[in-house]
Every structure is written in structure tokens, then in C-alpha cells.
Amino acid sequence: MALGKTFPTYDPRTGEEIAHVAEGDAEDIDRAVAAARKAFDEGPWPKMTAYERSRIMLRFADLLEKHTEEVATLETWDNGKPYEQAANIEIPKVVRMFRYYAGWADKIHGLTMPADGEYHVQTLHEPYGVTGLIIPWNFPLLLYSWKVGPALACGNTVVLKTSEQTPLSALYVSKLFHEAGLPPGVLNVISGFGPTAGAALCSHMNVDKLSFTGSSATGKVVLGMASSSNLKPVTLELGGKSPFIVCKDADVDKAVDLAHFALFFNQGQCCCAGSRTFVHESVYDEFVEKAKARALKRAVGDPFKKGTEQGPQIDNAQFQKILKYIRSGIEGGATLETGGEQLGSRGYYIKPTVFSNVKDDMLIATDEIFGPVQSILKFKDLDEVIQRANATSYGLAAGVFTQSLETANTLTRALRVGTVWINCYDIFDAAIPFGGFKMSGHGREKGIYGLSSYLQIKAVVSPLKNPAWL
């Protein structure tokens, strides 16, 4: 790095340092962007056949699969998520995502269309050029795949900034990409902080496209920097306060298990967590008791230990923020059913927390806590819960638990969110688009819709002389 600075990354299990990582700043971003620009303008990547790009991505996916154990270990060590989750769920999904977009690389094409006159009209789908990608700390490699996969498949070059909390896994797997045959300068990874490296990337005049995942507050800053520099387009996947609606006809035992998963998965550090659990009044009391019992059974501890469901929160700042929200829930009059405090005396572990008698205006019902705190609210009918579920600045996702197709259809169309899961939650197939309404962002990642974030459309018109047909 230009200034030779480093920063520590920490083990959330203990708060102790794991390693010191090279800290990038504005000068390093300049160098990375210059390398990406040269690779796009002069290098082989955008000029090689799409099939060749696809083969490199497939070789990378094979290498990543081969190194699953090492990569999952880094992810757990740096992030605190359970190793079994990283190794058995997340890394396979990362591999699948790269294979999915490798399959798309040679199937991207434009259209021809008739015109009112003697003209041949076609569209070309072209890569933007240099893309700036910023990934978060909660799912470092999953979001790496959601952004790098389609960006490369479309022929772009990449400058990627990792989160300062979790830089290790992205650095490791990017080396595997070069082992797979990725040309120099195509993928450039910078570890650093938002106000320095992140700001330099967002405001860089030679970056053609941005994609950012993080908080809504930071998303506004990213959008402002992009617009005030070269007006580069931005894809934003931001925060959420997603409703999980348990209807009166629900199988309560199944609903409790799914609502528990929707909230507590990944220590509650999930942008689409079902963090407002709306339960119909006819089953509310039964649901609360069973939700409390399920939370008490949740296995919290060392994420490397087999059977652990919940590891530590990412760092002390997030740990303290969650505890502050828990205190606000108690002080605001919600009923603390279980949890609400640190587990043990070392590391950033929080007991699974369940609140009942939560009101819509409480901070635990309005703010994105990003932690293992379940807020259970009571509702009377569909019109009421639709209004309350939509009464938020967020619109990322929602869950609906019902045995009625009519009820499911009503809620699906009424909820102002980017994804509705019916009798399931957190289904992240490679083909399913993901993104939000309102302040949860704009644009989509994954699936065929994810390609549009990394392609520009050019219209080409040429005259026809004495055409046989129009």
C-alpha cells in the first residue's frame, strides 16, 4: 500500500487481534482504478470470447470448492458466524453463484427491432468498464459473489473494497481467481475504511459504475458522492425492518420455528431479518410462549464448535449498540420474555432475546437493530397488519405464514417490499433477484436481473437500401 499503513482485524470470540491487514487509502484506490482501467481498455478481458471468460469463472468456482475448509475457517474466524453455516451453506452458495453467472457470460445479447422506415435497428449490451464494488461484513463472501460474479460475466473490470471488519476471506479467494487464470488488473481488492478508501472509490472520476451493500445512511452518502463526481450509476442494497406475519390459521409450532430462523440467523446480523414478528391475536399468547422456549434452546457459543447455532456479534460497537436497543425496549414498556444480556464474560455474545407486547413506535420496532432481538407484535386483521407492516421507510423483504392461498395472495401484492417469502424464509437461490423498495435501496442483485446492473444498452441504427422486407 502507498503509505505502508496497516489495521488490525479481530476475532469476535475474544476481541483479540487476528492479524494486521494492509490499509488502502485514496492513493491506493487511484492505483487500483488505473489498473482496472488499463485492463479494460487495453487488456484481454473484455476482448476475449464470453466463453473464455466463463471458463475462467468456472475454474475459480472449482478452486473455491476445493478450498472450502480454509475459506470457511477464515470467514468464521474473522466474522464469528458458525463454521457449519459458513462451510455447509454459505461457501456452497458462493460457488453456485459463480457457476450461475459463468453460465450467463456467453448468453448476453441485444435485440433487433423493426423501425418506421428503411433502417436496421439493433441494441448492444455492453459492459460499463470499471466497476467499484463495496461489500459488507455480515456476509462477506456471499456479497462478493453477488457483485463480482455478474460484473465479470458481463466483461467489466473490478475494484472491490472489503469491509474493515472482515477483510480476510475476500483477499484469500481473490488469489484463487488469479490462479484460475484471471488476467492482471481485472480484479483489484482494497481493504480499508469507508471515509478514506470507500469515499475515494465512490467519488472517483474514472469509475463507471458502483454497487454498494450496507446501511441506508451510508447508502445516501455513497449516492451523493457518485452524483457529485461523474454521475456514475449506483446499485444499492441497504437496510431493512422486515415484517414476518403469522396469520390466524397458522400452524403455531411451524410458525415459531420459521420466525425464529428468520430473525436469529447469522446472529440477527442480516439486512432482511424478520425483525418485526406480527402475530394474529388469536394465536399470540401461544406463539409468545413457544418463541420464548425456542430462544432458550438456541445453542450459543464458540462458532467452531459442532452444533452451535449462534456465535458472537461482529465487534464491540455492534455488541454495545444491540444492548442499548434492548435497554430501550425494557424502558419503553415492552415485556422482556428472555435474554437481554451478554452471555459469558469474554467475546461479543448476546443471549437470544425475545420481547412481547411491542408497540409500533418503540425503537426496537422501528430501527434496524442487526442483532438477536425478536420483537413480537399483535394484530387483529389483514387490513391492519398491511398498514402497519408498510409503515416504515424500509422495504427489503417480508415473510407470510398462512395456510390460505387467498391470504397469501392478498399480502404478497399489498406489502411494499422487494421479496415476499410465503411459508419459508431466507431462500437465496442464485436465480432469485434480491433488492429493496423505498430506503432499502434500488436495483437488483442475483438472477437475470442482476446482469442489468453491469450492462449498458446502446442502440445502433443504419439505413437500408432497397430492402426486400421491413
Side-chain angles (χ1 to χ4, degrees), residues 7 43 62-63 65 90 228 296 319 364 375 406 467 469:
F7 66 93
D62 291 343
L63 284 169
E65 190 171 48
E90 294 186 20
S228 63
L296 285 167
F319 174 78
I364 57 173
S375 298
E406 182 179 344
W469 53 270

Side-chain angles (χ1 to χ4, degrees), residues 316-327:
N316 185 58
Q318 185 65 17
F319 174 78
Q320 295 296 340
K321 173 187 170 185
I322 296 165
L323 292 177
K324 183 178 179 181
Y325 274 115
I326 290 171
R327 290 194 296 271

Side-chain angles (χ1 to χ4, degrees), residues 188-315:
N188 308 270
V189 180
I190 299 291
S191 296
F193 294 86
T196 50
L201 184 61
C202 293
S203 59
H204 205 288
M205 295 295 292
N206 217 7
V207 171
D208 302 307
K209 161 75 187 185
L210 279 177
S211 180
F212 169 81
T213 297
S215 72
S216 297
T218 305
K220 288 182 177 181
V221 175
V222 169
L223 197 59
M225 289 180 174
S227 64
S228 63
S229 52
N230 59 347
L231 209 62
K232 59 181 75 65
V234 184
T235 298
L236 297 172
E237 195 269 280
L238 307 175
K241 193 68 178 176
S242 300
F244 184 96
I245 301 171
V246 179
C247 298
K248 62 183 179 181
D249 63 348
D251 180 316
V252 174
D253 290 332
K254 291 180 179 178
V256 165
D257 282 341
L258 192 58
H260 180 89
F261 171 74
L263 185 282
F264 290 102
F265 178 66
N266 204 52
Q267 293 70 251
Q269 297 170 153
C270 190
C271 55
C272 58
S275 52
R276 288 183 295 153
T277 308
F278 288 98
V279 180
H280 191 269
E281 61 182 3
S282 64
V283 294
Y284 185 85
D285 291 342
E286 180 186 359
F287 185 96
V288 169
E289 283 303 311
K290 291 181 175 180
K292 173 183 176 180
R294 178 63 183 91
L296 285 167
K297 291 195 318 186
R298 187 168 181 80
V300 184
D302 187 337
F304 283 104
K305 184 179 178 181
K306 188 175 182 178
T308 295
E309 295 179 277
Q310 180 178 316
Q313 308 308 130
I314 183 67
D315 59 18

Side-chain angles (χ1 to χ4, degrees), residues 19 21 41 52 59 157 175 199 209 214 261 302 307 311 366 383 398 412 448:
V21 180
D41 290 346
E52 282 300 312
R59 286 198 294 270
T157 57
K175 290 180 66 176
K209 161 75 187 185
F261 171 74
D302 187 337
T366 60
D383 288 341
T412 296
I448 186 173

Side-chain angles (χ1 to χ4, degrees), residues 91-173:
I91 305 306
K93 285 188 178 295
V94 174
V95 172
R96 178 69 178 96
M97 189 64 66
F98 276 104
R99 287 176 176 155
Y100 176 85
Y101 278 116
W104 266 112
D106 60 355
K107 300 170 187 68
I108 296 168
H109 56 79
L111 301 170
T112 59
M113 59 278 293
D116 292 336
E118 296 182 350
Y119 298 97
H120 174 74
V121 182
Q122 67 183 89
T123 58
L124 300 177
H125 291 190
E126 299 184 354
Y128 273 100
V130 177
T131 59
L133 313 178
I134 301 176
I135 59 175
W137 52 258
N138 58 331
F139 292 101
L141 283 186
L142 271 180
L143 273 297
Y144 178 103
S145 70
W146 290 14
K147 298 180 190 299
V148 175
L152 294 183
C154 293
N156 297 281
T157 57
V158 170
V159 178
L160 179 135
K161 191 196 89 67
T162 66
S163 167
E164 61 270 24
Q165 287 100 329
T166 54
L168 299 182
S169 57
L171 292 169
Y172 184 90
V173 301

Side-chain angles (χ1 to χ4, degrees), residues 424-455:
C424 60
Y425 209 86
D426 281 349
I427 306 302
F428 288 113
D429 189 273
I432 302 173
F434 187 75
F437 289 12
K438 300 187 282 187
M439 283 182 61
S440 289
H442 51 241
R444 292 296 179 267
E445 297 188 293
K446 303 196 294 116
I448 186 173
Y449 296 95
L451 294 169
S452 62
S453 295
Y454 298 95
L455 292 168

Side-chain angles (χ1 to χ4, degrees), residues 358-372:
V358 178
K359 306 303 180 186
D360 291 355
D361 59 353
M362 294 178 179
L363 290 180
I364 57 173
T366 60
D367 292 8
E368 185 178 34
I369 300 173
F370 230 59

